[in-house]
Amino acid sequence: DAGVIQSPRHEVTEMGQEVTLRCKPISGHNSLFWYRQTMMRGLELLIYFNNNVPIDDSGMPEDRFSAKMPNASFSTLKIQPSEPRDSAVYFCASSYGTGTYEQYFGPGTRLTVT
Amino acid sequence: GNSVTQMEGPVTLSEEAFLTINCTYTATGYPSLFWYVQYPGEGLQLLLKATKADDKGSNKGFEATYRKETTSFHLEKGSVQVSDSAVYFCALRLQGGSEKLVFGKGTKLTVNP
């Protein structure tokens, strides 16, 4: 069974450019999470969806960040315009809310903004 | 607020040594507690969990016991291997149905042969 798929795996962009990160959750999972990992702040939850609906976006840093989940098998995290301080590893995770709530993480996208 | 505090790393051990990584939490109510592991270049994987006081989670030789009186969930392993080298994250999930996890900063473990 395929795990959580993220693309691209690495992204290097210049300040001011738009960046779009993509995630395909595990088939059948109904919750999807976007995290950001940095040395300074550790692992932070940015937003999570349940049944394609955003449930908690309190971790989204500012208006430059937006996330969508148009259907159960696809989500995007967009940064526009990007800034050097957005450089981080962005993880997508999914889960099936049966009570176990184990979150399955993708391999991450390493974003570098120069 | 709700938070998780882990011991500062990095931790370096020799193979077959005993491992303890301390984790304490602050939360309202009775959270569920988790240990996740991140191997180099990969995403996090669930290692073990405990959902109520005095529960012991275990997997791959690792154990952790949910101690409500000390608000702790320390990770232990009796004999570490080189393949255990990774970053370990303690996390909590609040009761009440939210799926949000609050993670500690992570503790990097290196095991030398």
Side-chain angles (χ1 to χ4, degrees):
Chain A
D1 226 358
V4 175
I5 299 172
Q6 291 187 246
S7 64
R9 292 294 308 276
H10 302 273
E11 176 80 38
V12 180
T13 191
E14 293 183 346
M15 184 173 65
Q17 296 298 306
E18 177 180 296
V19 176
T20 299
L21 311 182
R22 296 173 176 80
C23 175
K24 178 178 169 52
I26 292 172
S27 177
H29 283 191
N30 60 354
S31 292
L32 183 140
F33 307 79
W34 281 103
Y35 290 91
R36 178 172 66 178
Q37 185 179 40
T38 61
M39 289 293 291
M40 290 298 294
R41 301 175 65 91
L43 196 64
E44 305 170 280
L45 177 67
L46 300 177
I47 185 170
Y48 88 88
F49 297 84
N50 183 259
N51 293 322
N52 311 340
V53 176
I55 302 300
D56 185 343
D57 65 355
S58 58
M60 294 288 265
E62 49 198 271
D63 291 347
R64 298 185 298 107
F65 285 69
S66 62
K68 292 183 180 179
M69 191 163 187
N71 57 61
S73 58
F74 183 66
S75 177
T76 59
L77 178 69
K78 186 177 293 187
I79 308 172
Q80 165 65 14
S82 58
E83 297 182 3
R85 61 191 166 121
D86 301 330
S87 298
V89 180
Y90 291 81
F91 288 103
C92 176
S94 69
S95 73
Y96 180 62
T98 60
T100 304
Y101 294 109
E102 176 176 352
Q103 294 185 18
Y104 293 80
F105 282 72
T109 296
R110 181 174 295 277
L111 173 64
T112 304
V113 183
T114 60
Chain B
N2 304 302
S3 64
V4 174
T5 302
Q6 290 180 234
M7 62 186 288
E8 293 273 337
V11 174
T12 303
L13 296 173
S14 297
E15 208 164 21
E16 300 183 1
F18 184 85
L19 169 71
T20 300
I21 300 178
N22 290 338
C23 171
T24 57
Y25 67 89
T26 302
T28 52
Y30 303 101
S32 296
L33 301 173
F34 304 82
W35 277 101
Y36 276 78
V37 58
Q38 183 180 28
Y39 297 103
E42 298 183 10
L44 282 70
Q45 304 172 25
L46 179 65
L47 180 59
L48 53 84
K49 68 180 187 293
T51 58
K52 61 183 187 298
D54 299 324
D55 266 3
K56 177 187 282 188
S58 61
N59 186 26
K60 300 182 181 180
F62 291 89
E63 293 183 340
T65 301
Y66 188 147
R67 301 285 188 203
K68 177 169 160 287
E69 62 276 13
T70 54
T71 62
S72 65
F73 193 54
H74 304 322
L75 182 68
E76 296 183 337
K77 186 174 185 182
S79 176
V80 294
Q81 306 301 312
V82 173
S83 57
D84 294 327
S85 298
V87 181
Y88 293 82
F89 292 88
C90 186
L92 66 83
R93 179 173 60 80
L94 299 172
Q95 64 178 165
S98 171
E99 294 189 63
K100 181 175 180 176
L101 290 176
V102 176
F103 284 90
K105 289 269 180 92
T107 302
K108 183 175 182 180
L109 169 67
T110 301
V111 180
N112 295 317

